[in-house]
Amino acid sequence: MPFSFGSYRRALTRYDSVPAYALLGIIAGISSGAAVIAFEHGIDQLALLWDVGNRAEDYEGLDTLPRFLLPVLGGLALGAAFTFLRPENREVGIVHVISRLHSSYGMLPWRNAVVQFFAGIVALATGQSGGREGPGVHLGSAINSVIGQRLALPNNSLRILIACGSAGGIAAAFNTPLAGVIFAMEVIIAEYTVVGFMPVMLSAVAASVLSQRFGGGDEIFDMSSAQLTTLWEIPYIALLGFLCGCAAAMLIRVSTISASFGKWPVILRFTLAGLVTGALGVTIPEALGIGYDTLGNVMYGQIALGALLLIAVAKIFATGISVGFGMPVGIIGPTLLIGACIGGFFGQLGNQLYPVVAPDPTLYVTIGMAAAMGAAFGAPLAACLAAIELTQSTSVAMPAMLAIIVANLTNLSVFRQRSAHRSVLGQLRRQLPDDPLNQLLHRTDVNAVIDGSVVVIGEQVKPAVSATLALQVPNWCLVSREGEDLFLVSGHELMGWLEEDPARDSEESSIRSVTESSLRRWTITVVPEQATLRQVLDILKARTVEAVCVYTRGRKGERRLRGIVTRDRIERFTLDHLNN
């Protein structure tokens, strides 16, 4: 059977259409991987203009004055550029993706993605403290959402496209496909379904293959020898988890306090962020940039004990202020570095004071990375898998899980804070309903409940029309005037009213006006055929109507009525599916 794009689009309306979504996942992985590779290449090439090599990481090689001026001037330039942007076009990163996923049904605007791409390159190439994984998630999600919008794919598939783009962005930036999958499901769409996993996994694989082929992603640290030696380490690991939770809580608190100054002019905020980063970079150059070169040095024990805590504290303030002030950077990379520094400090200190407690300091570096990331993002499973994939060591899984749980409990229970992105969304007063009902409404296409038993009639009903309706009474009759939809009436009620018509002397006198009848009129509006049930319910509420008309486009561009959806049909559908 030949391929038809129309049939493929219809297949995507069914959330359990595995082959259709598998193809979508491969396409999404390639596009998101290409976007992240281009983004990383842009950072590297721009940083080379001011002699920052080693993939835009070698800020330690700069003299003191350039280390200070580079982030300051970069912040000033970005602030000046952002001044000319509308406030809605300045939103970037993971918070933007999650917010649009719920508020705009997965329709990410291309303008914000363009801002993220170029502004993110400038920010990270000028030494602003942040990560490229958050921008990677935004770019991967946005490019796939825009493709889906341009192809008029159903909006429930945009949700999967965003998850695929997020997983592809993480996989391409980190070379961690499995962690990318779990991050997308755990943080972005906050949903676990077997059907949903398949396209997201294919996307992560495709993006990772593309990244490895064209030199994207970061170095994998071979720490396969790191493992738990004795059970006496368990209490020490739990203590490390507590301190990593404290560090993650501090990072979240600094970012939320900084975000409270959001009404300040953007040029002032960005310049202040650059000043703080530059001032810290004068004495602690490791605070500049993403910090993956420093992460490698921590992994291999090449940084002195006292310097580790200084780097962690500097990174917390530089990153928290930059992200809170709205810089177009992420926090995943810095979070890993912060956790690695705390873990490295604990590992070296324990090894020096009591070797039985910490016989292998590198194990604590890995555990610290996972604990800090898990607490900052509220993503324990993704953090554990990221540590395993980055270090190529499965033996870190058990101790890492312990530290991650302790770190999360510390942030949630001791400091009473949510994850970084949910804290910012809460500060912006944006609700993220992620209960089972809303998950079902978001992933279900309007065609699942559409009532196709409907005919369009004029407000003047002639005897010939009455005879035609009597042959097969539809559920609904859409009353229109000169191509304009007026209201709905029940087909059975209409026929009952027509049959009450007394005998007429002529055909002309038998014409009856529906607008003059006492029939119940259902108020209506129109929704696109790509809509989800969540979108339909929101439109019903916002426009205070009782039903929606779903139209499609014919081959010649003409409008064709697909059917009618009422609130009652949606409620029956959700009750049936939630009870099963």
Side-chain angles (χ1 to χ4, degrees), residues 240-256 312 316 320 331 334-336 338-339 342 368-378 403-404 406-412 415 417-421 423:
L240 171 60
F242 172 75
L243 291 181
C244 285
C246 293
M250 183 183 295
L251 175 63
I252 295 170
R253 185 65 57 86
V254 170
S255 65
T256 52
I316 286 172
I331 67 170
T335 301
L336 292 175
I338 292 167
I342 296 173
M369 290 167 50
M373 177 182 171
F377 284 92
I404 290 169
V406 173
N408 273 275
L409 289 174
T410 300
N411 182 54
L412 293 171
F415 293 94
Q417 292 187 144
R418 293 173 292 180
S419 60
H421 58 278
S423 295

Side-chain angles (χ1 to χ4, degrees), residues 104-148:
S104 300
Y105 320 108
M107 291 181 281
L108 300 180
W110 63 268
R111 291 182 178 85
N112 296 67
V114 172
V115 171
Q116 174 69 91
F117 185 83
F118 290 103
I121 287 175
V122 173
L124 293 173
T126 55
Q128 311 302 330
S129 182
R132 59 172 173 255
E133 300 78 22
V137 168
H138 182 185
L139 293 173
S141 300
I143 193 171
N144 286 298
S145 176
V146 170
I147 290 173

Side-chain angles (χ1 to χ4, degrees), residues 94 97 132-142 165-166 169-170 183 188 332:
I94 293 176
V97 172
R132 59 172 173 255
E133 300 78 22
V137 168
H138 182 185
L139 293 173
S141 300
S166 302
I170 294 289
F183 186 89
I188 303 301
I332 297 180

